[in-house]
Amino acid sequence: MQYNAPDEILDTDEDKLREECGVVGIYLNKKDQSAPFNAAKLAYYGLYSLQHRGQESAGIAVSDGEKIESHKAMGLVADVFTAEKLEELGGQIAVAHVLYSTSGAAHIENAQPFVNRFKLGGIAVAHNGNLVNYEQLKEFLEETGSTFVSTSDTEVIVKLIAKSYKKGLERALTDTIQMIKGSFALAVMTENSLIGARDPNGIRPLCLGKLDNGWILASESCAIDAVGGTLVRDIEPGEIVIINEDGVLSFEFGERTAKRTCIFEYVYFARPDSVIDNIPVQEARLRMGAVLARETPVPADVVIGVPDSGLGAAMGYAKASGIPYAMGIVKNKYIGRTFIAPTQSEREQMVFVKLNAMKSDVAGKRVVIIDDSIVRGTTCRRLIQILRKAGAKEVHFRVSSPPVKFPCYFGIDTPCRADLISSAHNTEEICKEIGADSLAFISIDGMFEALRDANERSYGYCKGCFTGEYPIPFPGELNGKRL
């Protein structure tokens, strides 16, 4: 079920693609523990650093080696957990989750991790991604006696693992992962182990880190840094790792397929200080900006970026073009994700509250403004209005990703194709619609070149939102999105 915000709520990033969620897993070694366990507190710090991946709910499940407890609620990480609650949870092992829902509505029933307790033991599952065969699997499970309390595809994963658990954890995980289709990065916990798994195409990211007294799994390496850990490596596509008192066991659960990491991790989703599949995110963005400057040069006096995800590409564009870089736009960092605004016109005006131009940087100047993407076109139109009001003589809009023409089916919340401005309009038409003096996008080949320059061993990306060519077959209609 696709979640759409009520009309009275304005999402201040409404013209952006959104990641579904972030996951964290913590395992603390018994033999290295001199003080009481508190995996929950480390999971909290990890979640806090992944807040950008989801702001609707947060949850942590822990195990003390004998039983699993959990706490989750709607809201931001800092609002959901108090110091007292983290002390109460404690735990030797933890899995944690922040949510932006693409499959299932934003209700507490869909908050993760999902916990299932049964005769042979318990499990807790945190999932980032989207299953394209969710409806078929849910129907199969209901026909065999399972009941569901949510509309989240993650609950299907929990039920499938539980159904095969008597075969042993490794077999249950393998059986489940071979049944689910789509994108997934999983952090799974039992009473005495932590498990990570990544889909065969590696669409959603997952990495492994070393702690002084244990291990950490996380969607991004910035979460490992946040708890004082050291990045060891990325979990490979089609790999399962089981972490317990014997160390880290790794095995593949199926035939190796072509790697297809979501390219928007580098364009927009990931924090700039993260490293994903051996590519530093900020380095990729700087190089995308440099390619953009080479492909679409324009005479100008200043280059600025849209805070925050456009800043890296803007710096790269400025350096490559020789045009001075300036702040140009100030973001009000104290504004939350949503406002209450009773009318459409008031909602549209809220961008002026969130962002404002630096007149001293842009007045009387030819301005190149860099953003990471154009989805509906509403935000860039308002940004151009802000710059012209501040006295910009010319505004040239540059985009560090190709035109987004198709929906995503693998864990990104994109509008249906009819609402994607690049799906129905060419570059000239969009330029006129947003009111820019010129508009240009990076080419697909140029974007891949930037990633190769950031790491010459880079390969394999999902580009479905640009070309309509997806790494996994999917139903013609999924979660209300039509081609």
Side-chain angles (χ1 to χ4, degrees):
M1 181 183 297
Q2 179 74 29
Y3 171 64
N4 294 310
D7 287 343
E8 70 273 12
I9 301 294
L10 170 76
D11 188 332
T12 59
D13 288 322
E14 63 175 7
D15 200 23
K16 296 290 185 184
L17 304 180
R18 299 187 192 89
E19 237 296 336
E20 184 178 1
C21 52
V23 301
V24 175
I26 301 289
Y27 183 92
L28 300 179
N29 296 315
K30 291 180 180 179
K31 60 184 178 181
D32 296 335
Q33 193 71 20
S34 56
F37 289 116
N38 200 320
K41 189 173 292 185
L42 292 177
Y44 170 84
Y45 295 139
L47 273 194
Y48 208 103
S49 67
L50 297 179
Q51 186 73 85
H52 59 286
R53 299 185 76 91
Q55 300 87 39
E56 289 178 353
S57 69
I60 298 175
V62 300
S63 170
D64 61 3
E66 297 180 357
K67 63 182 185 302
I68 294 174
E69 302 290 343
S70 67
H71 176 74
K72 54 187 177 179
M74 307 306 293
L76 300 177
V77 175
D79 298 326
V80 171
F81 294 98
T82 63
E84 292 76 17
K85 175 54 69 175
L86 293 172
E87 288 297 334
E88 178 186 328
L89 284 170
Q92 177 199 352
I93 314 169
V95 291
H97 189 272
V98 287
L99 173 72
Y100 179 86
S101 61
T102 62
S103 176
H107 300 302
I108 186 60
E109 290 82 7
N110 291 324
Q112 300 186 43
F114 279 93
V115 177
N116 197 328
R117 301 176 180 88
F118 41 97
K119 187 183 298 183
L120 296 176
I123 55 172
V125 176
H127 166 222
N128 174 25
N130 204 51
L131 305 186
V132 298
N133 62 340
Y134 159 71
E135 294 291 349
Q136 298 95 312
L137 290 173
K138 184 178 180 184
E139 183 177 346
F140 160 73
L141 287 164
E142 287 176 332
E143 288 175 351
T144 55
S146 296
T147 58
F148 291 82
V149 297
S150 76
T151 56
S152 169
D153 52 1
T154 308
E155 191 175 8
V156 163
I157 297 173
V158 175
K159 300 291 186 183
L160 288 171
I161 295 173
K163 196 173 186 65
S164 302
Y165 202 77
K166 61 185 178 183
K167 300 177 183 178
L169 175 61
E170 184 175 318
R171 179 68 183 275
L173 280 167
T174 304
D175 287 352
T176 296
I177 289 172
Q178 288 177 338
M179 291 183 72
I180 60 180
K181 305 298 180 185
S183 63
F184 54 86
L186 296 174
V188 181
M189 180 182 69
T190 67
E191 283 88 349
N192 51 31
S193 60
L194 172 67
I195 304 98
R198 193 176 179 191
D199 69 76
N201 294 104
I203 298 173
R204 303 262 67 85
L206 188 66
C207 56
L208 173 70
K210 185 72 178 70
L211 304 174
D212 288 341
N213 62 330
W215 300 90
I216 175 173
L217 295 167
S219 293
E220 292 183 38
S221 63
C222 65
I224 298 174
D225 297 334
V227 298
T230 302
L231 175 65
V232 175
R233 63 178 179 86
D234 295 279
I235 303 303
E236 294 296 323
E239 181 186 13
I240 294 176
V241 293
I242 299 178
I243 304 170
N244 55 32
E245 60 184 6
D246 296 322
V248 180
L249 169 69
S250 168
F251 63 93
E252 295 182 3
F253 56 78
E255 294 184 9
R256 186 177 292 275
T257 57
K259 181 183 175 187
R260 291 292 182 266
T261 305
C262 174
I263 202 155
F264 257 95
E265 293 290 346
Y266 303 102
V267 173
Y268 171 61
F269 297 136
R271 258 180 41 170
D273 53 331
S274 287
V275 178
I276 294 178
D277 289 332
N278 296 311
I279 297 179
V281 173
Q282 180 70 348
E283 181 69 16
R285 291 175 184 170
L286 289 167
R287 293 183 180 276
M288 286 177 192
V291 171
L292 192 57
R294 188 192 70 217
E295 290 185 337
T296 62
V298 62
D301 303 306
V302 66
V303 176
I304 65 174
V306 179
D308 291 311
S309 55
L311 300 181
M315 287 186 277
Y317 190 105
K319 183 176 181 180
S321 66
I323 302 171
Y325 173 81
M327 180 179 292
I329 295 175
V330 177
K331 180 180 180 180
N332 186 339
K333 62 183 179 181
Y334 297 104
I335 290 179
R337 184 170 169 266
T338 56
F339 291 106
I340 301 298
T343 67
Q344 178 64 26
S345 62
E346 286 178 301
R347 290 196 293 275
E348 291 182 356
Q349 291 297 313
M350 283 300 179
V351 73
F352 300 113
V353 178
K354 182 180 182 182
L355 300 171
N356 195 27
M358 296 273 291
K359 291 184 180 181
S360 59
D361 284 345
V362 303
K365 296 178 181 178
R366 299 167 298 174
V367 178
V368 177
I369 179 170
I370 313 290
D371 204 358
D372 57 84
S373 59
I374 295 180
V375 181
R376 293 181 176 91
T378 52
T379 296
C380 52
R381 183 171 61 247
R382 295 172 204 162
L383 283 169
I384 292 167
Q385 291 171 2
I386 289 172
L387 291 170
R388 294 202 188 281
K389 185 178 178 181
K393 187 165 62 174
E394 296 176 10
V395 181
H396 302 276
F397 212 95
R398 295 293 181 268
V399 186
S400 60
S401 65
V404 177
K405 297 182 178 182
F406 300 90
C408 175
Y409 297 92
F410 306 115
I412 300 172
D413 183 21
T414 54
C416 64
R417 189 175 177 185
D419 292 331
L420 295 169
I421 192 170
S422 293
S423 178
H425 301 280
N426 62 32
T427 301
E428 282 187 12
E429 291 169 336
I430 298 170
C431 182
K432 184 177 180 180
E433 175 70 22
I434 66 176
D437 289 285
S438 72
L439 169 67
F441 298 83
I442 196 173
S443 67
I444 292 179
D445 288 343
M447 183 171 57
F448 290 157
E449 175 192 331
L451 291 169
R452 287 193 299 272
D453 288 344
N455 185 324
E456 62 183 15
R457 294 180 299 167
S458 70
Y459 66 96
Y461 303 96
C462 178
K463 54 187 179 183
C465 55
F466 307 131
T467 65
E469 300 170 2
Y470 301 95
I472 305 169
F474 58 89
E477 180 177 330
L478 180 69
N479 293 342
K481 299 174 185 175
R482 295 178 184 271
L483 283 177

